[in-house]
Amino acid sequence: MDKALKQLVVPLLRTLGFQGSYPHFRRMQNEQIDLLSFSFSRFGGEFSAELAICPVDGFRYHSGKLVPSEKVTAFNILSERTSLRNPAHSSENFVFGKPSFEPNYDVALPRQYYEHIATQLKEQMSAQLSEPFRIRSRASGV
């Protein structure tokens, strides 16, 4: 799955103005930084694409610690964050295999299977990531 994402999705992110290295990307905007991070389940077989925003100078925790703009990732942000949803499944995550606790979880599927999932994500990103992110706060419940 990593290979398909790197070959098919990362080049799109570059054309959309994102910088960084897999799995964390940033896009500087006039008033915010758009953040995108890929996260794989610790049990295997699925991943999510987390989207977040933060101020242009980075993210400051309540403790006062600053994560500078060139180091901040979507995982630093708790309230101004959401996920791209997989249109083929009811969960947020993109499922590409079995979880590690199921039999034969480590059997690889054909390359085209992973490329199909990456292509679905790429199409979704093409439609949704061309503009600066507008994310509602999770803390506000809106």
Side-chain angles (χ1 to χ4, degrees), residues 25-123:
F25 299 92
R26 295 164 205 83
R27 177 173 61 186
M28 297 296 291
Q29 302 288 348
N30 291 333
E31 298 179 10
Q32 69 187 35
I33 304 172
D34 294 340
L35 304 166
L36 185 146
S37 292
F38 293 98
S39 173
F40 285 81
S41 168
R42 68 180 173 175
F43 301 111
E46 59 185 64
F47 72 93
S48 65
E50 299 288 320
L51 308 177
I53 58 175
C54 78
V56 293
D57 58 346
F59 177 74
R60 188 171 301 277
Y61 287 101
H62 293 293
S63 66
K65 179 183 175 186
L66 177 68
V67 181
S69 60
E70 65 275 4
K71 298 283 186 185
V72 69
T73 72
F75 300 131
N76 295 115
I77 314 301
L78 298 177
S79 61
E80 302 293 324
R81 190 166 110 186
T82 191
S83 299
L84 286 177
R85 297 189 185 273
N86 182 353
H89 296 279
S90 59
S91 75
E92 290 182 8
N93 294 340
F94 290 82
V95 177
F96 63 89
K98 295 179 179 182
S100 60
F101 51 83
E102 288 190 14
N104 300 319
Y105 74 92
D106 57 348
V107 174
L109 297 170
R111 174 183 48 87
Q112 294 85 350
Y113 177 79
Y114 303 110
E115 290 175 351
H116 175 72
I117 294 168
T119 299
Q120 286 180 322
L121 177 60
K122 182 179 171 182
E123 291 170 358

